[in-house]
Amino acid sequence: MTRRLRQACELARQIGAGGAADRERLEGFRRLVAELGPEGRLGLFTWLSEELEVARAGIAGPAAALQSASEDDREAWNAAVRELRRSLASPRQRLFEALINTGGGMQLVLDLRCEVLEAQRQGQAGLEALEEDLGHLLNRWCQHGLLYLEEIDLGSSYRTVRFLKERELVHPMVSLDEMAQRLGRDRACYALYHAAMPDEPVVFIEVALSRGLLRSIDEVIGGAAGARRSAKPPDTAIFYSINSTQNGLAGLGLAQVLILRVTDALRTRYPSLQTFATLSPIPGFWPRYLRPILEGRDEGFRLTREAVVELLSGRLGAALLERRPAAAGTDDDPALALAEVLAAPDWLADPGLCRLLRRPLLDIAYTYLAEETDRRGKPLNPVAGFHLGNGATVSRANLNFAANTSERGLAESSPSPAV
Amino acid sequence: MVNYLYSESSLARIRRGVRSLLPWGRRGRPSGAPPGSSGPA
């Protein structure tokens, strides 16, 4: 253990005792946290999770008092319960609550949780107690009437619009003009703010209003965006982008809060709305699902390579074998041929091939979204996991072929040489 | 891409999972008000 880490641990143990010295301890702790760097902080996280806990000496007395109290004497019983509860309060939560109450402390706690979650994703064990306390604290922080919804429109501040433009990661933008288009006619954007951080939203959503479903991103933010405009009031709201700006708030359900509040707001504003739907990407479809299947890498999927080969029979199989690149192998395996054809840069420009591929690819994509699950039984695709977990539904009819032909869209959900 | 559909029952399911929260804060405008009526600073 380094000297800095030892000092940070010592301060963490003392913070929360109250008094004027607490302020100095907090300042010292914050400085040390910054100086530790990522590796040192991982050591601090492990210590906080495994070592900073209530001591036996602190709870032995209250536990014994409760043990000997009679429930018939309500006053004595309740007092004993309260005393034991107080003695069991997590010293980690005391530390983080004290941190939150310092200037900029909330952002620090959010950043720390973000690092803890990332470490856990990387397989770091032993951080469960710390993550539980951080999650519990932030969940309380988000549940006390402190969240509020705002509509972001063309009258919103330049700072806000620029912030959203920079934080839009689902369909990123190059210019502010593109953001303005997303705030204009038949478009809307709503953001959820926390009263403690009123300058930046914690999560925001972009909505397209239309007559009927929009089935490609080009109809929402591309060249075809104006083609579906109607003089009639909209009957459909399409949520096409949800972005969280604070990774430290992951898993706390803020996106669900946002969807709920936005549907209420939109209903009030557009009584003609009948349908609420998303237009969502299918991340991972090509690199983590279809490609491994076609190349014969067994990843334990429900869909087998043999089943895919069956989908590729007849004219499609012949077309694939005929079209495969000259440098590719010469055997007559249609699955391998499909992988090779899809990896070439120009397959989307061949209308005949697209016509033949459309149905099998949509069938495979449907299986990926609706049937493939992870070890916990949750949808393998994270976006499907979010929406289906909310109770939304997916159907074959609502899968859209070649609906995002941007380089990013292709890399995520369709084959591309960039993958 | 894919359209996930949110029916009344799915919204009700979310509503059950979300505790009561203030929909509009001190800086916000009522959800039915037109844009520009009192937007953020």
Side-chain angles (χ1 to χ4, degrees), chain A residues 214-272:
Chain A
L214 299 181
R215 295 180 175 275
S216 79
I217 201 63
D218 199 41
E219 290 180 295
V220 177
I221 55 173
R228 290 281 297 273
R229 290 219 166 103
S230 167
K232 293 180 181 170
D235 63 5
T236 304
I238 305 280
F239 304 139
Y240 64 92
S241 180
I242 304 176
N243 288 272
S244 169
T245 68
Q246 293 286 347
N247 290 337
L249 291 173
L252 300 183
L254 293 185
Q256 283 91 338
V257 174
L258 180 63
I259 288 173
L260 201 57
R261 295 302 174 202
V262 168
T263 53
D264 286 348
L266 287 169
R267 266 202 188 104
T268 308
R269 188 162 170 185
Y270 302 98
S272 53

Side-chain angles (χ1 to χ4, degrees), chain A residues 18-35:
Chain A
D22 245 11
R23 188 180 300 173
E24 278 177 36
R25 293 187 191 112
L26 279 163
E27 280 173 15
F29 183 77
R30 291 182 60 151
R31 182 175 42 77
L32 287 164
V33 164
E35 290 171 359

Side-chain angles (χ1 to χ4, degrees), chain B residues 1-38:
Chain B
M1 301 192 86
V2 54
N3 300 112
Y4 296 99
L5 294 184
Y6 277 80
S7 63
E8 288 303 322
S9 64
S10 52
L11 292 170
R13 182 165 158 178
I14 300 179
R15 201 177 297 278
R16 282 195 298 275
V18 172
R19 280 176 255 171
S20 178
L21 297 161
L22 280 178
W24 295 94
R26 57 188 169 79
R27 298 192 314 152
R29 59 169 172 264
S31 52
S37 57
S38 70

Side-chain angles (χ1 to χ4, degrees), chain A residues 50 59 69 73 81 125 151 163 171 186 200-201 209 280 323 338 360 372 374 383 387 403 407:
Chain A
E50 294 181 348
I59 56 174
D73 182 347
V81 168
E151 182 175 0
F163 177 83
H171 301 294
D186 296 335
E200 295 174 353
L209 299 150
S280 304
R323 196 190 151 85
L338 177 59
E372 298 288 0
D374 62 16
V383 180
H387 292 298
E407 190 176 334

Side-chain angles (χ1 to χ4, degrees), chain A residues 326-396:
Chain A
T330 53
D331 60 58
D332 57 357
D333 180 343
L336 219 47
L338 177 59
E340 287 157 355
V341 166
L342 294 181
D346 57 349
W347 70 274
L348 267 171
D350 182 339
L353 183 65
C354 285
R355 231 180 352 261
L356 289 170
L357 276 174
R358 185 176 181 282
R359 179 46 53 195
L361 285 182
L362 290 179
D363 282 346
I364 295 168
Y366 180 77
T367 304
Y368 176 50
L369 297 178
E371 295 178 19
E372 298 288 0
T373 54
D374 62 16
R375 278 177 295 183
R376 298 168 302 160
K378 308 274 187 193
L380 200 56
N381 179 267
V383 180
F386 173 75
H387 292 298
L388 299 180
N390 289 341
T393 54
V394 61
S395 68
R396 273 187 174 79

